[in-house]
Amino acid sequence: MTTDLPQLRCSDVVVTFRQKQARTVIHAVKSASLDVGAGEIVGLVGESGSGKSTLARAVVGLQRIDSGTITFEGKAFGARRSRADRRGIQMVFQDPYGSLDPRMTIRGTLAEMLRRHTALRGEAIETRCRELMDMVRLPSSLLGSRPAGMSGGQRQRVAIARALSIEPRLLVADEPVAALDVSVQAGIVNLLSDLRDEVGLSILFISHDLSIVRTLCDRVNVIYRGEIVEERPCAELFADPRDDYTRTLLSAIPRLGGPRTEGLRDGQSLSR
Ligand code: ADP
Ligand code: MG
């Protein structure tokens, strides 16, 4: 039986990129294993280029894997996922502006998802659009706006509403606050935390910033050069990091408990 499995299990996932001309092979993800339990918020942290996005894309089915298995709700995904398989896991990206159609109103964006993926029609679509705006704490008056007329934080809320529109059980959030002003980051982090409590959403939260992970996640996976080097409950990891690389990452947070700091910036490199 599969009942003892966590909601998501990645086992020994390997992703390589072959560059034909240069004849080089990039080992983006090397035998990575991680679990996300139902209703759990799990962090995946590591410096830029460590394989976070590649693993995230593999989880949602946007990236083919060389080997290993990805099991969701007891079912191992094959090379091709059914529509129902894809619905269960949704993703939000770092740049909400790039992931929203600039020509469409927010109503249009949400309604398109609902028409394509649900049986809702007519007035029920409008009702659901308003419900989704409530869920992400945006006023329904913004349904007629286009992305260009909104702030970065509002756009990321819309991207989250769109992801939620088809009622996924797991949300993969790939650096969802990295492109936002520090002043609005906490609002998005709090929203994700509330969504877990309100709708039981599980979240795989990806960040290069350990100070954000600390406030949100139950457990943390530290990834270094495509390998998960440490996996611990959040409080334990911060109190007693075991891996050298984790310690280096932690030391990049200037003062824990002090004023809000930026942590490790994307693109900044650390050596082990
Ligand atoms: P992160 O999200 O942690 O910054 P990525 O998963 O984006 O890391 O990248 C991991 C490694 O894989 C990097 O060396 C990156 O250059 C490489 N990579 C990612 N996507 C591709 C691709 N489509 N083709 C070739 N190399 C890639
Ligand atoms: Mg990335």
Side-chain angles (χ1 to χ4, degrees):
M1 281 298 289
T2 52
T3 44
D4 291 338
L5 279 174
Q7 186 183 51
L8 174 78
R9 167 158 289 176
C10 297
S11 299
D12 303 320
V13 171
V14 175
V15 180
T16 53
F17 296 107
R18 269 158 241 284
Q19 294 187 316
K20 288 193 187 96
Q21 258 133 25
R23 272 192 258 140
T24 52
V25 176
I26 296 167
H27 299 276
V29 177
K30 302 170 199 161
S31 197
S33 300
L34 69 79
D35 290 349
V36 180
E40 200 179 21
I41 303 184
V42 174
L44 178 62
V45 280
E47 66 189 297
S48 181
S50 56
K52 304 183 296 297
S53 294
T54 303
L55 184 55
R57 290 168 55 82
V59 167
V60 297
L62 293 170
Q63 172 64 54
R64 178 196 56 80
I65 62 177
D66 294 43
S67 61
T69 51
I70 297 175
T71 308
F72 182 63
E73 296 176 343
K75 182 181 172 190
F77 289 133
R80 288 190 163 244
R81 293 191 195 183
S82 70
R83 211 176 153 95
D85 284 345
R86 276 180 279 142
R87 279 188 55 162
I89 310 177
Q90 290 292 304
M91 186 161 176
V92 293
F93 300 89
Q94 173 170 336
D95 173 20
Y97 203 51
S99 65
L100 296 173
D101 187 334
R103 295 162 303 177
M104 290 226 274
T105 62
I106 304 316
R107 179 180 281 106
T109 293
L110 297 178
E112 187 191 47
M113 277 295 272
L114 294 169
R115 271 193 294 269
R116 191 184 303 170
H117 297 280
T118 74
L120 299 178
R121 295 294 175 267
E123 197 50 39
I125 290 201
E126 178 67 16
T127 306
R128 180 69 175 144
C129 284
R130 288 168 184 269
E131 216 173 83
L132 288 164
M133 294 296 268
D134 273 354
M135 283 175 82
V136 298
R137 326 288 191 245
L138 285 177
S140 293
S141 56
L142 281 177
L143 280 169
S145 305
R146 288 187 170 72
M150 307 177 90
S151 70
Q154 288 174 328
R155 285 197 286 259
Q156 193 57 286
R157 285 170 194 267
V158 171
I160 294 168
R162 183 181 55 183
L164 294 177
S165 67
I166 56 175
E167 302 181 57
R169 277 87 70 200
L170 172 68
L171 185 71
V172 177
D174 189 2
E175 308 251 13
V177 301
L180 303 177
D181 284 350
V182 172
S183 60
V184 298
Q185 288 183 349
I188 300 291
V189 168
N190 290 339
L191 172 63
L192 293 174
S193 174
D194 290 350
L195 287 171
R196 178 259 294 271
D197 297 340
E198 286 163 21
V199 294
L201 190 68
S202 316
I203 302 173
L204 179 59
F205 183 87
I206 296 166
S207 181
H208 61 273
D209 185 340
L210 266 174
S211 60
I212 293 176
V213 165
R214 185 182 206 204
T215 64
L216 180 67
C217 299
D218 305 313
R219 272 188 312 115
V220 187
N221 291 270
V222 179
I223 186 168
Y224 177 72
R225 296 191 177 174
E227 283 178 84
I228 308 279
V229 294
E230 185 154 9
E231 178 278 310
R232 305 273 296 285
C234 202
E236 253 184 46
L237 180 111
F238 280 88
D240 169 36
R242 296 216 178 111
D243 184 82
D244 287 346
Y245 176 68
T246 308
R247 281 196 213 104
T248 318
L249 268 184
L250 283 168
S251 68
I253 305 176
R255 209 148 57 86
L256 282 177
R260 175 72 178 80
T261 51
E262 294 241 24
L264 183 67
R265 284 208 180 80
D266 211 3
Q268 198 174 339
S269 190
L270 291 174
S271 51
R272 201 169 154 100

